[in-house]
Amino acid sequence: MSSKGSLATGSYTKATMEMALRHKDFVIGFIAGGKFSINDDQDDFIIMTPGVGLDVSGDGLGQQYRTPRDVIIEGGSDIIIVGRGIYGSGRDVIAEARRYRDAGWSAYEERIEKK
């Protein structure tokens, strides 16, 4: 999803959205790079975005990181998914989790203030 060259685009995304719209009683959202739409009904779904990082923008394996602000404000995501930024080698897990929580919440507040 957040790696360079992801195949989750175009017709795949459209077909996935159409399936979700047919099964709204079961599907609550998507893990996606950001908000996408094939019609106005998409706003009912939660968007959860992986590949969130505060300190790096990528790695040697094609992983691409975006900040919580990029994901929430520019991408329209509702939830950030953080992995290595919290659990990476030598990290204080509690301090990093708080740091990401605060950055995500700040971005969310900025987004709702714009509405």
Side-chain angles (χ1 to χ4, degrees):
M1 295 297 309
S2 53
S3 296
K4 187 175 181 177
S6 171
L7 300 175
T9 60
S11 62
Y12 174 87
T13 301
K14 184 176 180 188
T16 303
M17 176 59 79
E18 289 169 349
M19 284 187 272
L21 290 169
R22 286 192 306 272
H23 301 284
K24 288 177 94 172
D25 60 326
F26 183 75
V27 178
I28 64 164
F30 297 92
I31 297 176
K35 199 167 219 110
F36 57 94
S37 183
I38 61 169
N39 65 35
D40 293 334
D41 292 331
Q42 191 269 336
D43 287 335
D44 292 344
F45 295 110
I46 296 168
I47 303 298
M48 300 162 273
T49 302
V52 175
L54 288 169
D55 302 316
V56 295
S57 60
D59 67 14
L61 300 174
Q63 177 68 39
Q64 299 174 335
Y65 296 102
R66 295 172 20 208
T67 67
R69 187 177 189 285
D70 291 340
V71 168
I72 292 170
I73 294 175
E74 295 173 21
S77 186
D78 301 299
I79 296 172
I80 61 173
I81 300 173
V82 183
R84 286 181 248 173
I86 294 173
Y87 294 104
S89 179
R91 300 223 180 232
D92 177 337
V93 174
I94 293 171
E96 292 302 323
R98 286 183 177 137
R99 194 168 152 240
Y100 279 89
R101 176 200 61 195
D102 294 346
W105 187 251
S106 177
Y108 177 71
E109 288 181 319
E110 185 178 342
R111 184 174 89 188
I112 62 173
E113 286 175 4
K114 291 181 177 184
K115 286 187 173 188

Short mmCIF file of all heavy atoms in Angstrom, two decimals, residues 19-29 45:
data_model
loop_
_atom_site.label_atom_id
_atom_site.label_comp_id
_atom_site.label_asym_id
_atom_site.label_seq_id
_atom_site.Cartn_x
_atom_site.Cartn_y
_atom_site.Cartn_z
N MET A 19 -17.59 -3.13 -4.87
CA MET A 19 -17.94 -4.24 -3.97
C MET A 19 -18.33 -3.72 -2.59
O MET A 19 -19.31 -4.18 -1.99
CB MET A 19 -16.78 -5.22 -3.82
CG MET A 19 -16.59 -6.12 -5.01
SD MET A 19 -15.33 -7.38 -4.68
CE MET A 19 -13.86 -6.51 -5.18
N ALA A 20 -17.58 -2.76 -2.09
CA ALA A 20 -17.88 -2.20 -0.77
C ALA A 20 -19.23 -1.52 -0.75
O ALA A 20 -20.00 -1.66 0.22
CB ALA A 20 -16.78 -1.21 -0.38
N LEU A 21 -19.55 -0.79 -1.81
CA LEU A 21 -20.85 -0.12 -1.87
C LEU A 21 -22.01 -1.11 -1.89
O LEU A 21 -23.08 -0.83 -1.34
CB LEU A 21 -20.91 0.80 -3.10
CG LEU A 21 -20.03 2.05 -3.02
CD1 LEU A 21 -19.94 2.74 -4.38
CD2 LEU A 21 -20.53 3.00 -1.95
N ARG A 22 -21.79 -2.28 -2.49
CA ARG A 22 -22.83 -3.32 -2.49
C ARG A 22 -22.97 -4.01 -1.13
O ARG A 22 -23.98 -4.63 -0.87
CB ARG A 22 -22.52 -4.37 -3.57
CG ARG A 22 -22.78 -3.90 -4.99
CD ARG A 22 -22.75 -5.05 -5.99
NE ARG A 22 -21.55 -5.86 -5.95
CZ ARG A 22 -20.43 -5.62 -6.64
NH1 ARG A 22 -20.36 -4.57 -7.44
NH2 ARG A 22 -19.38 -6.41 -6.55
N HIS A 23 -21.96 -3.87 -0.30
CA HIS A 23 -21.95 -4.57 0.99
C HIS A 23 -21.68 -3.61 2.15
O HIS A 23 -20.90 -3.91 3.06
CB HIS A 23 -20.91 -5.68 0.97
CG HIS A 23 -21.16 -6.68 -0.10
ND1 HIS A 23 -22.15 -7.64 -0.01
CD2 HIS A 23 -20.58 -6.85 -1.31
CE1 HIS A 23 -22.16 -8.37 -1.12
NE2 HIS A 23 -21.22 -7.91 -1.93
N LYS A 24 -22.36 -2.47 2.15
CA LYS A 24 -22.14 -1.45 3.18
C LYS A 24 -22.52 -1.94 4.57
O LYS A 24 -22.08 -1.37 5.56
CB LYS A 24 -22.89 -0.17 2.83
CG LYS A 24 -22.27 0.58 1.68
CD LYS A 24 -23.06 1.79 1.31
CE LYS A 24 -22.50 2.98 2.03
NZ LYS A 24 -23.10 4.24 1.60
N ASP A 25 -23.30 -2.99 4.65
CA ASP A 25 -23.64 -3.55 5.95
C ASP A 25 -22.47 -4.32 6.56
O ASP A 25 -22.47 -4.66 7.73
CB ASP A 25 -24.86 -4.46 5.84
CG ASP A 25 -24.63 -5.64 4.89
OD1 ASP A 25 -23.92 -5.47 3.89
OD2 ASP A 25 -25.21 -6.71 5.15
N PHE A 26 -21.44 -4.58 5.77
CA PHE A 26 -20.29 -5.36 6.20
C PHE A 26 -18.98 -4.57 6.15
O PHE A 26 -18.12 -4.73 7.00
CB PHE A 26 -20.18 -6.62 5.33
CG PHE A 26 -19.07 -7.54 5.71
CD1 PHE A 26 -19.18 -8.34 6.85
CD2 PHE A 26 -17.91 -7.60 4.96
CE1 PHE A 26 -18.14 -9.18 7.22
CE2 PHE A 26 -16.88 -8.45 5.32
CZ PHE A 26 -16.99 -9.24 6.46
N VAL A 27 -18.81 -3.72 5.17
CA VAL A 27 -17.55 -2.98 4.96
C VAL A 27 -17.64 -1.62 5.65
O VAL A 27 -18.58 -0.87 5.41
CB VAL A 27 -17.27 -2.78 3.46
CG1 VAL A 27 -16.00 -1.97 3.24
CG2 VAL A 27 -17.19 -4.12 2.75
N ILE A 28 -16.65 -1.33 6.51
CA ILE A 28 -16.65 -0.03 7.19
C ILE A 28 -15.60 0.93 6.64
O ILE A 28 -15.66 2.11 6.90
CB ILE A 28 -16.47 -0.17 8.71
CG1 ILE A 28 -15.09 -0.76 9.05
CG2 ILE A 28 -17.58 -0.98 9.33
CD1 ILE A 28 -14.68 -0.58 10.49
N GLY A 29 -14.62 0.39 5.92
CA GLY A 29 -13.59 1.28 5.42
C GLY A 29 -12.52 0.55 4.62
O GLY A 29 -12.69 -0.61 4.27
N PHE A 45 -17.22 5.71 4.31
CA PHE A 45 -16.18 4.76 4.68
C PHE A 45 -15.04 5.43 5.43
O PHE A 45 -14.66 6.56 5.15
CB PHE A 45 -15.61 4.07 3.43
CG PHE A 45 -16.61 3.22 2.72
CD1 PHE A 45 -17.11 3.60 1.48
CD2 PHE A 45 -17.07 2.04 3.29
CE1 PHE A 45 -18.04 2.82 0.82
CE2 PHE A 45 -18.01 1.26 2.64
CZ PHE A 45 -18.49 1.64 1.41
#
